[in-house]
Amino acid sequence: MSTAPSLIGGVSIDEICRLAGTPTYVYDAAVIASNVQRLKSAFRTIPVRFMYACKALTNTAILRLMHSLGTGLDTVSIEEVHRGLHAGFTPSQILFTPNMISFEEIKQAVALGVHINIDTISVLERFGHEYGNSVPVCIRINPHIMAGGNERISTGHIDSKFGISIHQMRHVLRVAQSQNMHINGLHMHTGSDILDADVFLQGAEMLFEIASDFPALEFVDFGSGFKVAYKPDDISTDIEDLAAKLSERVHAFNATRFAPIEIWFEPGKFLVSEAGTLLARVNVVKQTTATVFAGVDTGLNHLIRPMLYNAYHHISNASNPMGTPRVYTVVGYICETDTFGWDRKITEIREGDVLAFSNAGAYGITMASNYNSRLRPAEVLIHNGKASLIRRRETLIDILATEVEIEL
Ligand SMILES: *Cc1c(COP(=O)(O)O)cnc(C)c1O
């Protein structure tokens, strides 16, 4: 990661910029495929499904790619469900895991035939009242496992809005039994990074323990938490170690059951983060008394992770990979504090150079906005050595299209 890429998926960055302009998000399909393959091979000895958490990157071309690679889909809104169906997933390949949505939206998802995941007791009660045992349902549990990670992303803590607390299981059982409900899955997604397989296994153990109360269980879903390395010295989840330990436990658990349960995961950023690069052009190099700023033609409106989560994205100069390294603070063009990286060592930056922001595949374009009335970027997919535009750059007409003009 220390040297600047001049190629993405075998296509030169120059060519990508000629095709799509800047700023542009570029995704390498081969990286996504190899991440899917790595998971499949690590968990090959157990019955397993990977439901791609599509809020990370939702372009239809990416969804179709995932479908061709054999993943299912984890969705968090009815709109994502529709996009999954539009991309060719069948309802049974889609899991709907919403939080704080209207019951009306849950009914729409039931009507579409996707798997439903419920994370609130009152909603579970209402679901049982409405559907009895005619529609199976999965329950999202909060095991209060804190495996580390960013506190703004973590969802496993005691006062999290996500999931039904493991301490409320007796209440859940009472609801499920009194309404004769068909509970087909148990789910946990703590939002924490799995850095320690043993901490994760503790959570898994809690789910296996309560699983014995649900005879009709078909799957246990462990959510995500697969951490990817952003900085060169970051630790990422040791997938193979986790898989070996969990698989052993799953084999033992399934030996006790009449019908084996499937294990589901919902990786989002693990599958797409490293596959994505944001390319942006340097508008201005500005020397102040203390700092040299490199100002690019993008900002927190297109990649909000640095400002929102203090996330690190490696930045390199694709136009001058052999230049002398110097120290720059890379900033965006938005009229707010809009910093991508402080005091970064980058090969000499000249106005007009193209900078590459690494690990931008997840929560990049999907969190982009039109702040400052800026147009959202184009997206390009590199597949089999060929670059294709998968989203054109917005125009001002797109932005104005939803406004309603009135007489004043
Ligand atoms: C966001 C989300 C994921 C994916 O998380 P990543 O950190 O991107 O892997 C998985 N499951 C649920 C329910 C989510 O909300």
Side-chain angles (χ1 to χ4, degrees):
M1 275 220 299
S2 53
T3 56
S6 51
L7 298 172
I8 298 176
V11 180
S12 84
I13 285 179
D14 274 353
E15 188 184 330
I16 296 165
C17 292
R18 271 198 303 277
L19 169 76
T22 57
T24 289
Y25 277 100
V26 190
Y27 315 112
D28 185 347
V31 174
I32 295 175
S34 104
N35 289 339
V36 171
Q37 196 45 50
R38 184 172 166 207
L39 288 181
K40 280 188 179 173
S41 117
F43 290 95
R44 69 193 172 281
T45 71
I46 58 170
V48 68
R49 278 170 86 171
F50 299 102
M51 314 294 274
Y52 168 55
C54 71
K55 71 180 190 287
L57 175 58
T58 328
N59 189 294
T60 303
I62 300 294
L63 300 186
R64 294 213 164 115
L65 176 67
M66 292 295 181
H67 188 254
S68 77
L69 295 170
T71 77
L73 218 59
D74 180 61
T75 58
V76 294
S77 69
I78 197 75
E79 289 83 356
E80 283 187 355
V81 171
H82 282 296
R83 290 182 75 169
L85 293 170
H86 170 75
F89 287 88
T90 62
S92 69
Q93 293 170 323
I94 299 177
L95 174 66
F96 186 47
T97 305
N99 175 253
M100 303 292 171
I101 65 163
S102 72
F103 198 75
E104 204 37 56
E105 198 172 322
I106 292 176
K107 281 162 88 171
Q108 289 171 30
V110 170
L112 292 169
V114 300
H115 296 280
I116 309 289
N117 193 355
I118 286 181
D119 85 335
T120 305
I121 289 177
S122 64
V123 178
L124 189 70
E125 245 168 338
R126 187 147 175 207
F127 196 92
H129 189 72
E130 187 84 24
Y131 300 107
N133 68 358
S134 68
V135 179
V137 66
C138 170
I139 301 174
R140 179 171 182 174
I141 311 282
N142 187 342
H144 309 301
I145 290 292
M146 290 297 292
N150 189 309
E151 81 276 3
R152 293 213 205 168
I153 309 176
S154 169
T155 64
H157 47 88
I158 195 81
D159 56 358
S160 165
K161 71 171 183 143
F162 295 100
I164 300 172
S165 169
I166 191 108
H167 307 304
Q168 293 174 300
M169 285 318 295
R170 281 175 56 188
H171 191 167
V172 167
L173 271 175
R174 212 159 49 235
V175 171
Q177 281 161 0
S178 69
Q179 314 259 28
N180 187 28
M181 297 180 74
H182 177 182
I183 308 296
N184 69 340
L186 292 176
H187 171 274
M188 73 171 195
H189 169 71
T190 64
S192 302
D193 297 330
I194 307 168
L195 286 177
D196 183 348
D198 295 320
V199 175
F200 179 83
L201 284 173
Q202 273 175 35
E205 211 51 53
M206 292 163 92
L207 252 55
F208 285 139
E209 231 173 273
I210 53 180
S212 53
D213 290 327
F214 300 96
L217 213 60
E218 289 153 25
F219 64 91
V220 173
D221 182 335
F222 289 115
S224 182
F226 298 123
K227 183 177 161 54
V228 296
Y230 281 82
K231 285 190 190 131
D233 55 351
D234 264 359
I235 305 168
S236 53
T237 303
D238 185 341
I239 303 282
E240 288 71 22
D241 176 57
L242 176 74
K245 288 177 173 158
L246 185 68
S247 299
E248 194 184 317
R249 188 60 193 85
V250 171
H251 285 302
F253 178 80
N254 272 339
T256 69
R257 289 186 71 93
F258 177 65
I261 52 155
E262 278 188 345
I263 301 299
W264 292 14
F265 289 102
E266 301 164 349
K269 62 166 106 68
F270 178 82
L271 295 184
V272 296
S273 175
E274 288 168 316
T277 309
L278 173 62
L279 299 177
R281 201 170 288 279
V282 176
N283 285 333
V284 175
V285 176
K286 179 172 181 172
Q287 168 90 59
T288 66
T289 43
T291 304
V292 184
F293 289 101
V296 290
D297 64 354
T298 183
L300 60 82
N301 53 327
H302 297 158
L303 179 62
I304 203 172
R305 298 186 75 259
M307 295 311 295
L308 188 62
Y309 304 127
N310 203 19
Y312 178 97
H313 287 269
H314 195 74
I315 305 170
S316 49
N317 186 351
S319 303
N320 190 19
M322 306 311 279
T324 311
R326 298 187 193 285
V327 174
Y328 298 92
T329 290
V330 179
V331 293
Y333 61 8
I334 290 296
C335 291
E336 297 262 345
T337 304
D338 183 9
T339 309
F340 286 115
W342 285 265
D343 295 336
R344 295 290 184 84
K345 209 172 215 184
I346 301 170
T347 55
E348 183 171 353
I349 298 176
R350 303 146 311 179
E351 291 176 356
D353 282 355
V354 172
L355 301 190
F357 296 74
S358 302
N359 266 30
Y363 309 106
I365 189 85
T366 57
M367 292 180 102
S369 77
N370 292 117
Y371 189 40
N372 283 201
S373 292
R374 291 297 186 179
L375 312 172
R376 277 177 294 186
E379 291 178 279
V380 167
L381 181 67
I382 315 284
H383 188 236
N384 294 335
K386 184 171 172 287
S388 312
L389 198 64
I390 58 171
R391 181 191 302 277
R392 65 159 171 82
R393 188 175 311 288
E394 273 179 334
T395 66
L396 200 53
I397 295 169
D398 294 322
I399 296 185
L400 292 174
T402 49
E403 290 192 357
V404 179
E405 289 191 31
I406 58 166
E407 245 14 276
L408 287 173

